[in-house]
Amino acid sequence: MIQGALESSNVNAIESLTDMIDTVRAYADVQKSISVMDDIRGIAANQIGKPV
Amino acid sequence: MDPALRAAASGMRAQQTRQEVIANNLANVNTTGYKRSRANFEDLLYQTVSGPQVIGGPAANTLPAVQIGRGVRLAGVQKDHAQGSIETTQNPTDIAIEGDGFFQIQLPSGQIAYTRDGKLQLSDQGVLVTAEGNPVLPNIRIPAQASALSIGPSGIVSVMRAGSSVPEELGRIELARFTNPAGLMAMGQNMYTATPASGDAMVSFPQDEGTGRLMQGSLEMSNVETVTEMVDMITTMRAYELTSKSIKTSDDMLQIANGLVR
């Protein structure tokens, strides 16, 4: 024990920020794939069977 | 997710650890008996993409394996037990060790700790103790009426008693040496404890069997060289910037890959 001292947090900024970059990119990738699926369904619903 | 991102992050972490070690060295630049630390790194595991291939034919050749490294890791933080500079203080209870050897200190728990810090004082009972009050082995007691405490280079402690012109020898200080002083574990307060990595303490008198000599009235200051630490700090900062640039580049590449589809 050391009197007059406090233990600060053991949060490693680099780990947290790198995980954040990973998470944000994974989120954007999944969101992009959702929007592409939506477009595909739009084509299937509206374009297929349309008279030329 | 992205191996390049993780490798760059491990590089940044390693440089941060190196900076922590340098900062500790600089904080202890005036600590008596302090020994500087040095962080050692090694490359992390390698991912073998394809093993060594033998190309068939009359004269078979072997292509080397294709390996990609995955970053850096801290291999160890090593203490450099080089001699520190000696500063004279004219205080009769200050002792510096010139050469190998550590003072043996008796802790209240019964364990023996080792130190190079020779800033000693006399307790109320006349025993030579460290600044925290732990006695130096062997417990040599200086009588209250004695004067002119003298500690010779070979450890002989003698005083002048009233009514006598010949110094009276009270005892002899012993020093402990280790096969591998870098293996000692630092426990703070300028003290070290023996570990299996350092080997057993080899106790001997000063100036015997390669042990150093004592210098009364002097102190061994820290062996930190500020110029070396400042230069290391500059290289660490540059390496930190480079690895952070590497992380940003990986991030940009992921963003471009995301933008491939509209």
Side-chain angles (χ1 to χ4, degrees):
Chain A
M1 289 206 301
I2 305 174
Q3 188 185 17
L6 284 175
E7 182 186 1
S8 62
S9 109
N10 73 342
V11 169
N12 195 330
I14 298 168
E15 296 281 11
S16 309
L17 290 170
T18 321
D19 286 345
M20 213 156 73
I21 293 175
D22 254 354
T23 311
V24 165
R25 292 294 160 218
Y27 186 88
D29 285 349
V30 173
Q31 185 250 325
K32 186 55 69 81
S33 69
I34 289 175
S35 121
V36 167
M37 285 309 298
D38 183 41
D39 286 344
I40 291 174
R41 291 205 177 117
I43 295 172
N46 297 318
Q47 305 285 356
I48 295 179
K50 205 173 183 180
V52 173
Chain B
M1 191 176 97
D2 185 11
L5 191 66
R6 293 294 168 189
S10 79
M12 262 182 106
R13 232 176 14 251
Q15 297 310 318
Q16 189 174 334
T17 307
R18 193 149 176 247
Q19 178 57 31
E20 283 166 23
V21 171
I22 293 171
N24 183 42
N25 284 342
L26 285 175
N28 283 300
V29 74
N30 280 327
T31 307
T32 331
Y34 177 76
K35 297 298 170 195
R36 65 181 287 262
S37 300
R38 192 178 53 187
N40 294 327
F41 297 100
E42 60 188 21
D43 43 6
L44 205 51
L45 59 92
Y46 282 81
Q47 186 176 357
T48 306
V49 173
S50 71
Q53 300 170 20
V54 179
I55 317 280
N61 293 319
T62 311
L63 285 178
V66 179
Q67 289 181 303
I68 305 178
R70 288 295 174 225
V72 64
R73 71 181 282 266
L74 182 69
V77 177
Q78 203 180 16
K79 280 251 177 225
D80 176 15
H81 280 272
Q83 174 85 35
S85 54
I86 310 267
E87 183 189 296
T88 47
T89 60
Q90 309 298 337
N91 192 339
T93 49
D94 283 346
I95 317 175
I97 303 175
E98 193 185 9
D100 291 339
F102 292 83
F103 291 114
Q104 300 171 89
I105 312 290
Q106 180 84 52
L107 295 176
S109 61
Q111 198 188 7
I112 299 181
Y114 305 93
T115 184
R116 292 281 289 200
D117 177 10
K119 194 178 287 193
L120 306 176
Q121 50 198 6
L122 292 176
S123 73
D124 57 333
Q125 274 149 34
V127 180
L128 270 176
V129 293
T130 62
E132 288 95 35
N134 296 315
V136 177
L137 291 177
N139 288 324
I140 298 176
R141 215 179 141 261
I142 319 288
Q145 298 83 21
S147 65
L149 170 68
S150 159
I151 302 171
S154 56
I156 298 175
V157 179
S158 52
V159 291
M160 293 286 280
R161 288 238 198 218
S164 165
S165 56
V166 177
E168 183 189 327
E169 195 178 303
L170 294 175
R172 204 167 170 195
I173 295 179
E174 293 170 328
L175 296 181
R177 271 185 311 132
F178 293 92
T179 333
N180 179 24
L184 290 167
M185 192 160 89
M187 49 181 279
Q189 299 180 322
N190 288 340
M191 292 196 281
Y192 300 93
T193 48
T195 65
S198 65
D200 289 331
M202 300 181 288
V203 181
S204 62
F205 294 119
Q207 293 185 316
D208 273 354
E209 299 165 21
T211 314
R213 67 179 180 123
L214 299 184
M215 293 172 65
Q216 189 188 15
S218 319
L219 283 177
E220 183 189 6
M221 302 310 289
S222 94
N223 69 348
V224 170
E225 289 167 31
T226 31
V227 174
T228 315
E229 301 300 324
M230 296 303 283
V231 169
D232 284 349
M233 217 152 64
I234 294 172
T235 52
T236 306
M237 183 63 192
R238 290 297 159 216
Y240 195 78
E241 282 174 13
L242 288 170
T243 41
S244 86
K245 196 87 181 81
S246 176
I247 290 183
K248 282 202 201 113
T249 307
S250 294
D251 186 31
D252 289 342
M253 284 170 113
L254 285 171
Q255 193 172 355
I256 291 173
N258 193 327
L260 274 175
V261 185
R262 241 179 314 126

